[in-house]
Amino acid sequence: MADETPPLIAPNPPRLSEHLDALRRVEASGVFSNNGPEVRAFEAGVTEKLFGGHGACLAVGNATLGLMLAIRHASGMRTGGLNPKQGTLALMPALTFAATAQAAAWAGLTPLVCDIDPDDWGACALEEERLLQRHGERIGVVVPYATFGNAIDLDRYVHFQRRYGVGVVVDAASSLGTLDDAGVGFGARAPFAVVHSMHATKTFAVGEGGLIHSGDVDLIATLRSMGNFGFEGSRNATLPGINAKLPEVTAIIAQAKLAEIDAIAGHRAELDDTYRATLPDFQFQAVSGRRRAMQFMPVLLPEHIAHHRDAIVESIEADGVGCGRYFSPHLGEQPWFQATAMIEPTPVADRIAGRMLSLPITDAMTVDDARRAATALASACAAIIQPLDRRASVRGPGGAIASVIVVGGGPAGTAMLTSATKRGLLPDLAASGLMVIERSNAIGGGRLGRYAITSDSTAQTFLTAVRDNVHPELARLVDHPAGRAVAAHEGALGVPLTEVGPLLRATGDRLTDIVRENGGTVLTGHEALGAKRVGDGLWSVQVRRLADGHVFDQLARNVVVATGGHQPLDRLATQRVAGASLVDLASGRLLQSDDVLTVGGFEKVADILTGKRNPKIAVIGGSTSALTTIALLLKSQPTLPLGAGAITLLHRRPLRPFYHSVEAAHAEGFTDFGPDDVCPVSGFVYRLAGFRLEARDLVLRMLRIDGRAPDPRVTLHRIAGDGDGGGDGDEDARAVVEQADLVIAALGYRPIALPIVDRDGLPISLAAHDGKPMVDRHCRIVDADEAPISGLYGLGLAAGFVPWGPLGGERSFSGQANGLWLWQNDVGLMIVDQVMTSKVMAAA
């Protein structure tokens, strides 16, 4: 078919032969200057024909120049002029072209990148409002993108302009020819600038060019002067300016295009309808308006095969159909903006961009061509999906006995699978009857990406899971946008967890394929309700499908609980500080550290402290969470009004920094350790108990190690006495809590319970129910008498595992060790070895 039919391609180059008469007229007149009568004629014509005579237009050399002019002007709105003295940020969505952010940067602003709406793929309204409230006057301009020519809600931006006094510029690069719900050109009455493109790839294609429209005639007049070197009526620059004028010869082509734009846009709308009708099972953009100027046909791949996009595109193009990926990577995934912009968490944009394909729509295409392109996509996807479906059906829900069920497909559950890949065991583990049960629609990420903090693991730690992996599809993730984003932080004090999440999700996608291809099962959108012992060496796990509530039982010989941890509220009710009830001392001013560390948590703190000129904050706990909470409060923007001694850390145990060797510790003058504090395997000082990366840096400063200066905003207070009821006489600690405007409890995590019952249906009492470790030294779940329960294993946050023997760790350590590297290596393999051999290791 590819040999018989001309290839379909996305670009729409201008057909200059159609405009020869107009070009000859310009040549005969000898007028090739900029901003002359042909340009003005085009501006007047497009204002009348497309925008119903509302406002005015300014033709410019290209849309990027138009954005630069408009953003430069709009960012000075707060001061009533053209100088962005206060507003230094330009708020824009992640899913847009690089030119949007580049234009803001050239206008002297820093792009502030936010997430998008999952349906229309434009900027998320809630995120925009949140960031406007959070950053206030630091945001000089909002630059929404009319995604793929969509007629977005402009009333929202009129509201923003009035409420926040912020400038607005709409990037409508693909929208020239789009009609709103009233049948008028998109943005006809907008009180701000709406910038369109006339590039060769657009519906209104002239080769190169741009158009700024606004319902405000005076605004267009000002922008016209700025685009003419800042001249207002004379050759004296009175405004900031550049040369942004459209050549006369291009205006001639634009006039010809204007005459045919309705027919062009109508034909493209018909192609749009054809794609949607031919691909009913695919997700398309939710659109607004009466007609959209279609540049290409954006469509999302099914989520579970999105990581096969390269193979799908290769198949489509081999069938003679051109295919793009606008906009993947999105702004937040591009190195220049990662280095220069402020990027908010963008989980929706990450998923949408990772699934995006752009099928061709051109003037020359027919309806049959669109059907052929759609069929090529459907066939390419089917070639991926059908083998996966066949392999996954080998062991369906409720069918044969599974060798092992992993309850929870978050970072811990998938870390166990990753550990198996380190020794090439995952295919065999899957073939033996592996089943993974996960509530969300994919495995890998869990809640980790929701934390607005820096990891206490290095970038190298996250990359070792995939780098040089025996499975090529995993090894290639090093060069995936998510892998490159993490690698950019090598050598830094950790990685923002919002950037770790995409890599873990991408890893989970590849692990899912490996498991399914080898006969295992990954049940996403399901949850485990509990496990019941039904015979010697056999468990029945009750599973519910979230889509319709259907419940079924699945037999397994082994169950691995990797459900993660949480900070239960009931723990606060029993917690005592300095001999008094924490709840009574805090008196309605109490938050848990998880409330602060997750995305949006800092805003919650800022809201609580609103109006406090010199707020006092008490952080209770000596864990990494406690130190990370303080680091977040110190560095987040906008800054809190924290004076000297504003934050007090109340802790019971000494704060210990990690060192790679005894020599490194001595080199900095740190000697507060003995032989039992040194790991016999690695030689590390405080390998398990010591703080690392950002938390370590803060501890080193507060302890004045090697002459470091402490942060004057932070005070350390070690509570006198031992245990939860200790320190009865520490009146100073009690006063700190009572006088604080905000109290943050960083008291660690407890495992998320999976109900476990015996043959008689009665609950099995676990050690974890009494606050003890959930697992023993072999990761076996233990009962209330701390005896291992055959066939049950635990892994992950709050499991309570303590490394030993060849795993290393200092003898003085007490507590639990949590770390992705451990789970992905020795700890994960400890469980893999046991479930694959079906032999319980003898107690050491």
Side-chain angles (χ1 to χ4, degrees), residues 44-227:
V46 75
T47 299
E48 185 64 32
K49 181 169 183 176
L50 292 186
F51 299 110
H54 300 290
C57 288
L58 168 64
V60 290
N62 59 59
T64 305
L65 288 171
L67 286 170
M68 291 167 62
L69 288 175
I71 290 172
R72 181 69 174 81
H73 177 272
S75 61
M77 277 196 59
R78 295 184 187 278
T79 56
L82 293 166
N83 296 315
K85 295 177 181 178
Q86 291 177 298
T88 56
L89 301 178
L91 175 58
M92 62 188 64
L95 196 71
T96 185
F97 189 49
T100 315
Q102 295 283 22
W106 280 107
L109 305 177
T110 298
L112 172 59
V113 179
C114 73
D115 209 356
I116 63 171
D117 182 90
D119 297 320
D120 66 22
W121 310 340
C124 173
L126 293 177
E127 280 294 287
E128 287 178 320
E129 188 96 37
R130 180 181 70 83
L131 291 170
L132 284 165
Q133 293 174 355
R134 174 180 177 180
H135 292 287
E137 293 187 350
R138 292 190 65 213
I139 297 180
V141 61
V142 181
V143 191
Y145 171 51
T147 314
F148 303 139
N150 195 21
I152 63 174
D153 177 18
L154 296 183
D155 289 339
R156 180 164 103 216
Y157 298 100
V158 173
H159 163 72
F160 288 165
Q161 194 176 60
R162 292 172 179 169
R163 179 175 179 181
Y164 298 102
V166 68
V168 175
V169 174
V170 179
D171 182 344
S174 304
S175 302
L176 196 54
T178 292
L179 301 180
D180 62 19
D181 289 331
V184 181
F186 171 66
R189 296 181 175 85
F192 33 71
V194 181
V195 182
H196 303 271
S197 173
M198 299 187 293
H199 187 265
T201 58
K202 301 298 187 289
T203 303
F204 201 111
V206 301
E208 187 59 279
L211 186 80
I212 308 175
H213 177 79
S214 176
D216 184 345
V217 176
D218 293 336
L219 170 60
I220 294 298
T222 300
L223 295 177
R224 186 181 302 280
S225 297
M226 292 175 65

Side-chain angles (χ1 to χ4, degrees), residues 8 93-94 189 262 297 359 371 394 410 419 461 465 513 516 625 672 696 732 795 811 814:
L8 304 178
R189 296 181 175 85
D262 286 332
M297 190 68 219
L359 297 175
R371 289 197 188 101
V394 171
S419 73
T461 296
D513 274 359
R516 288 175 171 168
S625 294
D672 189 12
R696 177 181 184 270
D732 290 340
L795 178 70
R811 286 187 291 271
S814 62

Side-chain angles (χ1 to χ4, degrees), residues 451 453-456 566-567 571 575 591-594 597 619-632 647-657 688-699 702 714 716-719 744-750 797-798 813-818:
Y451 285 90
I453 58 174
T454 300
S455 69
D456 60 354
H566 67 142
Q567 295 180 331
R571 182 175 183 180
Q575 186 68 35
L591 289 178
Q592 300 210 72
S593 57
D594 245 23
L597 298 178
V619 179
I620 301 173
S623 65
T624 296
S625 294
L627 273 296
T628 303
T629 297
I630 294 175
L632 177 70
I647 301 174
T648 300
L649 175 66
L650 299 166
H651 60 103
R652 292 192 176 91
R653 298 178 181 176
L655 304 178
R656 307 298 196 190
L688 302 179
F691 291 102
R692 298 179 182 238
L693 301 178
E694 194 172 53
R696 177 181 184 270
D697 185 63
L698 182 57
V699 167
M702 299 314 299
V714 182
L716 303 181
H717 182 96
R718 187 176 177 189
I719 302 173
I744 301 172
L747 304 174
Y749 294 85
R750 296 283 176 83
L797 185 65
F813 179 73
S814 62
Q816 61 180 6
N818 293 308

